[in-house]
Amino acid sequence: EVEPTNEGWFGSEFATPQDMSGKSAVSADVETVRGDDTRTNLAIQFKVEADYIWCQSRIDPLYATGTVTLELGTMKCSVDNDPVRRPSDLTQLTGVWLYLHEGSFRVDNVRAE
């Protein structure tokens, strides 16, 4: 359960990079327990040489409960807010993040599909 007092990114970096080769999406199930703004989106980060590439989904209105999905083939990516191409090496996933607004949310079943 996540209970942000301000909107922002909530998630985790992995101790060792994860291999996303052969996967087409990253998803998370989110249930809104309390909150007026249920819009969210999902982001992942890859380590590519010295840079971290940040890729995220569109803002997804969940309307209290639903699944947020980031399609790897169509995700938008950036380095330091500058747009870049999707990384070709998907073996270096270093983190998964959800953008949540103020409220209380249950996050479950974060997965690569």
Side-chain angles (χ1 to χ4, degrees):
E1 193 158 313
V2 181
E3 296 189 356
T5 55
N6 291 305
E7 65 184 87
W9 290 103
F10 299 87
S12 182
E13 289 189 8
F14 304 122
T16 57
Q18 303 296 304
D19 186 350
M20 295 294 295
S21 300
K23 305 294 183 182
S24 62
V26 175
S27 298
D29 297 334
V30 180
E31 176 186 358
T32 302
V33 177
R34 176 184 51 80
D36 294 331
D37 194 340
T38 61
R39 295 172 301 152
T40 189
N41 62 339
L42 189 139
I44 57 178
Q45 67 186 30
F46 291 94
K47 178 78 170 160
V48 178
E49 297 175 5
D51 290 321
Y52 285 99
I53 294 179
W54 179 268
C55 305
Q56 68 186 64
S57 68
R58 63 181 176 80
I59 294 176
D60 207 352
L62 290 176
Y63 304 111
T65 299
T67 300
V68 180
T69 299
L70 173 63
E71 299 288 340
L72 300 180
T74 59
M75 63 188 176
K76 305 294 184 197
C77 302
S78 65
V79 173
D80 296 328
N81 293 321
D82 292 326
V84 296
R85 292 181 54 191
R86 178 180 85 89
S88 57
D89 179 8
L90 298 180
T91 64
Q92 300 296 307
L93 177 71
T94 59
V96 175
W97 307 91
L98 277 171
Y99 193 88
L100 300 171
H101 292 263
E102 183 179 345
S104 181
F105 305 88
R106 289 191 184 108
V107 180
D108 192 22
N109 198 19
V110 178
R111 61 206 178 271
E113 304 173 300

